[in-house]
Amino acid sequence: MDNVQNKTVIVTGAGSGIGYQITEELLRKGAKKIAIIDLPVARSYDATVTLQEKFGKDRVILFPIDVTNLEVYSETFKQIVKALNGLDILINNAGIIHDRCIEQTFAVNVIALIRGSLLGLDYMGKHKGGKGGTIVNMASIAGIRTTGVYPVYSSSKFAIVGFGRNLEKLYDKTGVRILTMCPSLTSTPMQVATDLSEERTLDIIDEEVLKNLMINVKQEPQSVVHVGQSVVMAIQKGENGSIWVIANNEPAYPVKLPPFVTA
């Protein structure tokens, strides 16, 4: 569908974990230039230097900002597109798991993702004079099935899936593909920090409830490298509106969800 070679890309939350692996795989596959958007913390700078040393300093640029600051994000997005001399692919990857921080969870996982997508459409959309492109939204397996463990996080990921299913309908006008990724349990710094953490779940979910809920979803975390490679594969092959499950270190596959109910 879309060879990533010579493409310009923005990846949010690429200072570590899945975002970093996506960025590395895109560079390995020949992406022309990638802008990393992540928080101004040591890991973001270290990740950028590592990628620059491996693939060339001119191919990776870091923009250290908080995507929940929408005014700064909008202005920075404009600067990035100018620095990249255009935009072909936007990957909305930034996310958190912390059910006790409801507003922050939705600010990062949903509001910033929607804002980023709309900015991407402004610069890539044919309806705005662009040439089209691709938007990849990182949801989660928790966005298409429920466990009860992290209901706030899961709800934010359901919102991402729903947003993509609506946005895909505008493809004929925008020329921008919408792809939604739903990785299952993955070995990332975020997962290590939150795995079975009572501090990040709701008060109602005590240790006993947590153990009972997890009985039916126990599995070994998959490789973050596998997820990164799978996302890039989906970018290359995925049809507009496709929703991809990436699980158990097995080949990613698109799934069909039930259609919306007609009133």
Side-chain angles (χ1 to χ4, degrees):
M1 294 291 295
D2 190 8
N3 194 327
V4 299
Q5 195 167 19
N6 294 319
K7 296 298 173 64
T8 55
V9 189
I10 293 175
V11 187
T12 69
S16 64
I18 291 174
Y20 178 88
Q21 296 299 332
I22 293 171
T23 302
E24 183 170 20
E25 183 68 8
L26 284 168
L27 290 166
R28 186 177 289 112
K29 294 289 187 180
K32 182 178 181 180
K33 187 174 290 189
I34 298 181
I36 292 174
I37 299 178
D38 210 332
L39 294 170
V41 295
R43 72 165 187 265
S44 302
Y45 296 99
D46 292 344
T48 302
V49 170
T50 299
L51 291 170
Q52 288 176 337
E53 290 176 347
K54 187 178 292 187
F55 298 102
K57 190 172 183 179
D58 61 332
R59 294 179 67 193
V60 187
I61 314 171
L62 172 64
F63 290 82
I65 65 164
D66 181 350
V67 293
T68 64
N69 187 327
L70 299 182
E71 183 177 350
V72 171
Y73 189 16
S74 296
E75 181 56 34
T76 302
F77 206 101
K78 180 179 180 180
Q79 295 172 11
I80 292 173
V81 174
K82 183 176 181 180
L84 295 177
N85 193 28
L87 179 63
D88 298 306
I89 302 169
L90 167 65
I91 301 174
N92 291 307
N93 170 75
I96 64 170
I97 303 177
H98 201 318
D99 272 25
R100 297 196 186 192
C101 295
I102 299 170
E103 291 79 8
Q104 185 183 13
T105 294
F106 273 79
V108 177
N109 293 2
V110 183
I111 297 174
L113 180 142
I114 291 175
R115 179 60 60 194
S117 297
L118 296 179
L119 288 168
L121 288 174
D122 282 344
Y123 291 100
M124 294 188 289
K126 292 181 177 180
H127 64 299
K128 291 291 186 77
K131 58 183 179 181
T134 299
I135 293 176
V136 179
N137 290 328
M138 296 299 298
S140 165
I141 197 73
I144 56 177
R145 76 178 189 193
T146 60
T147 65
V149 178
Y150 289 103
V152 176
Y153 170 78
S154 178
S155 297
S156 73
K157 295 302 182 177
F158 266 85
I160 293 171
V161 174
F163 177 65
R165 294 187 74 183
N166 280 276
L167 210 57
E168 71 178 74
K169 308 298 184 185
L170 304 176
Y171 177 76
D172 288 344
K173 183 173 184 178
T174 68
V176 177
R177 280 188 306 159
I178 307 299
L179 306 176
T180 304
M181 304 293 135
C182 295
S184 68
L185 190 65
T186 304
S187 182
T188 68
M190 181 172 70
Q191 183 58 51
V192 170
T194 59
D195 191 25
L196 299 181
S197 172
E198 289 184 64
E199 295 180 358
R200 292 175 178 262
T201 58
L202 300 179
D203 290 344
I204 193 173
I205 304 175
D206 57 25
E207 183 176 358
E208 190 62 31
V209 171
L210 197 57
K211 287 181 179 178
N212 290 336
L213 287 171
M214 290 302 292
I215 288 175
N216 296 323
V217 295
K218 280 187 176 181
Q219 57 181 270
E220 290 299 317
Q222 64 184 335
S223 161
V224 69
V225 174
H226 171 70
V227 176
Q229 292 173 344
S230 298
V231 171
V232 174
M233 179 278 295
I235 293 172
Q236 293 175 306
K237 299 182 179 181
E239 296 181 356
N240 174 53
S242 57
I243 300 170
W244 293 77
V245 169
I246 309 170
N248 305 316
N249 285 316
E250 297 175 355
Y253 58 92
V255 295
K256 291 288 186 181
L257 299 183
F260 293 116
V261 175
T262 302

